[in-house]
Amino acid sequence: MSDAAKIDFIYLSEQDMIRAGVTDMTACVDTMEKMFALLYQGDYRMAGANNDSHGAMVTFPNDSPFPNMPKPTADRRFMAMPAYLGGDFCTAGMKWYGSNIANRQKGLPRSILMFTLNDADTGAPLAYMSANLLSAYRTGAVPGVGARHLARRDAQVIGLLGPGVMGKTTVAAFMAVCPQINTIKVKGRGQKNLDSFIVWARNTFPQITNIQVVDSLEQVVRDSDIVTYCSSGEVGDPATYPLVKREWVKPGAFLAMPALCNLDEGMEQPDVRKVLDNTGLYHAWYEEVPKPAHHTIPVIGVRFMDMLAAGKLSADQLEDIGKIVAGDAPGRQSDDEIIIMSVGGMPVEDVAWGTVVYRNALEKGIGLKLNLWNSPVLF
């Protein structure tokens, strides 16, 4: 058997990922924009019957006869998120993670993630990489793509619910595309997270001269040019999800929602533009879970699917950011229109950013080279 059968791949630790550029938010936003254009063209595949599934998830029952089975506490799950992305990427990959909100009591992140990048032809591994930063930055970058096309160019004020990891990366993406931002209003659960966020924001973005800690959702939303809800919480009852009321929202506001969110009737009205990161993702989710689907999946795009099924919304009232990025649909059309974008998260995002970081690592000689085999035993 020839040397062509030999397979090596690289392992990238979290520090390796940083050295390879995983925290370069401007490059990540640009990469997500390219990814959305490929989604619109159809040059991708994810799991599921419609090739748009978020992934496959293992959850746990309330009662089990097996004493060692994990309990279904908040965010307690294991999940696999596979995808292929074409274009200049032409790679496949899968993010795998376990999640448990109780991890924080052990000094660990809620989710612990790894990502495998594969050659799209042979299926051979190219890299196995730490993926907490990979996932966090691609998640934050997607609202950044939205803001690039849908926020007012003169946006100055961000309203943020949730000053944790997702909040930080989302703010970083807004800063990358909206250079006039100078104010952040932030609401959080605990003083420790708020203090950490304020120190991070001041050190990272000296142009932010006004940081206000607020006590209510109304204060987060009111008078903000860009609004984002990035908090985690219990899923099941939409009445407990953080709410946006129309009366709070200023004309011209852009809202990007990558986490739990609910809307009042005013925000449901047709004059509020409703944008999805990938329409097919929400149709896939809707088919996979009990109805109403928003009880199971708390992102606002799933609420739109429930509204669609109930006849409260028509399909042509839902827009796709990929079509906007490609130039086949308009971005912001007036200074006064209110636009809300749902961010669901997709494995093609991990493949896109993981591919860029992997290629950076190869170019810079970063990572630990590992051998899978010189030749396979079974052939």
Side-chain angles (χ1 to χ4, degrees), residues 109-297:
R110 181 192 66 183
S111 299
I112 300 172
L113 306 97
M114 298 298 296
F115 180 74
T116 302
L117 184 70
N118 298 89
D119 183 288
D121 180 34
T122 67
L126 300 173
Y128 186 55
M129 59 184 72
S130 170
N132 276 55
L133 288 174
L134 176 79
S135 186
Y137 273 77
R138 65 79 158 161
T139 299
V142 171
V145 174
R148 177 176 280 171
H149 294 269
L150 301 173
R152 286 178 55 131
R153 295 301 90 203
D154 59 354
Q156 295 183 337
V157 181
I158 296 173
L160 167 66
L161 172 65
V165 171
M166 190 189 301
K168 288 176 181 176
T169 57
T170 301
V171 165
F174 293 150
M175 297 303 297
V177 301
C178 298
Q180 295 189 46
I181 290 171
N182 57 36
T183 299
I184 297 179
K185 297 181 296 174
V186 56
K187 181 181 185 301
R189 293 193 186 99
Q191 194 61 45
K192 182 179 178 181
N193 275 355
L194 285 166
D195 290 343
S196 172
F197 176 84
I198 291 169
V199 169
W200 169 83
R202 285 177 174 161
N203 289 341
T204 310
F205 303 109
Q207 64 269 46
I208 298 175
T209 56
N210 185 11
I211 301 176
Q212 305 170 23
V213 175
V214 298
D215 297 322
S216 69
L217 292 174
E218 180 176 355
Q219 290 173 300
V220 168
V221 176
R222 193 173 289 278
D223 297 322
S224 295
D225 300 305
I226 298 175
V227 176
T228 186
Y229 285 3
C230 298
S231 62
S232 59
E234 294 279 355
V235 174
D237 181 5
T240 67
Y241 302 168
L243 182 67
V244 178
K245 290 187 177 182
R246 176 67 176 269
E247 65 191 69
W248 301 342
V249 181
K250 70 179 290 186
F254 169 63
L255 301 92
M257 298 301 186
L260 293 83
C261 180
N262 206 353
L263 305 177
D264 74 349
E265 288 188 8
M267 288 298 294
E268 293 179 352
Q269 298 307 306
D271 62 324
V272 174
R273 288 181 65 185
K274 299 169 181 67
V275 179
L276 303 174
D277 46 353
N278 176 11
T279 303
L281 170 70
Y282 295 89
H283 285 291
W285 258 335
Y286 192 77
E287 294 302 318
E288 293 168 357
V289 299
K291 314 300 182 290
H294 200 215
H295 287 70
T296 304
I297 301 171

Side-chain angles (χ1 to χ4, degrees), residues 1-23:
M1 190 171 292
S2 71
D3 288 343
K6 181 180 179 180
I7 293 178
D8 292 326
F9 62 98
I10 60 172
Y11 166 71
L12 296 170
S13 69
E14 185 166 80
Q15 289 303 311
D16 291 334
M17 296 289 285
I18 293 171
R19 290 167 57 211
V22 73
T23 60

Side-chain angles (χ1 to χ4, degrees), residues 73-107:
T73 50
D75 281 313
R76 190 70 173 100
R77 61 185 181 271
F78 290 97
M79 190 160 194
M81 299 174 64
Y84 160 80
L85 185 63
D88 293 335
F89 301 95
C90 203
T91 49
M94 185 186 74
K95 183 169 70 181
W96 168 253
Y97 71 94
S99 181
N100 185 359
I101 204 167
N103 281 355
R104 293 171 178 169
Q105 300 166 15
K106 301 177 181 180

Side-chain angles (χ1 to χ4, degrees), residues 36-37 40-41 149 273 319-331:
F36 278 122
Y40 175 60
Q41 295 167 16
H149 294 269
R273 288 181 65 185
E319 304 182 54
D320 195 292
I321 189 63
K323 189 173 184 178
I324 294 169
V325 164
D328 286 349

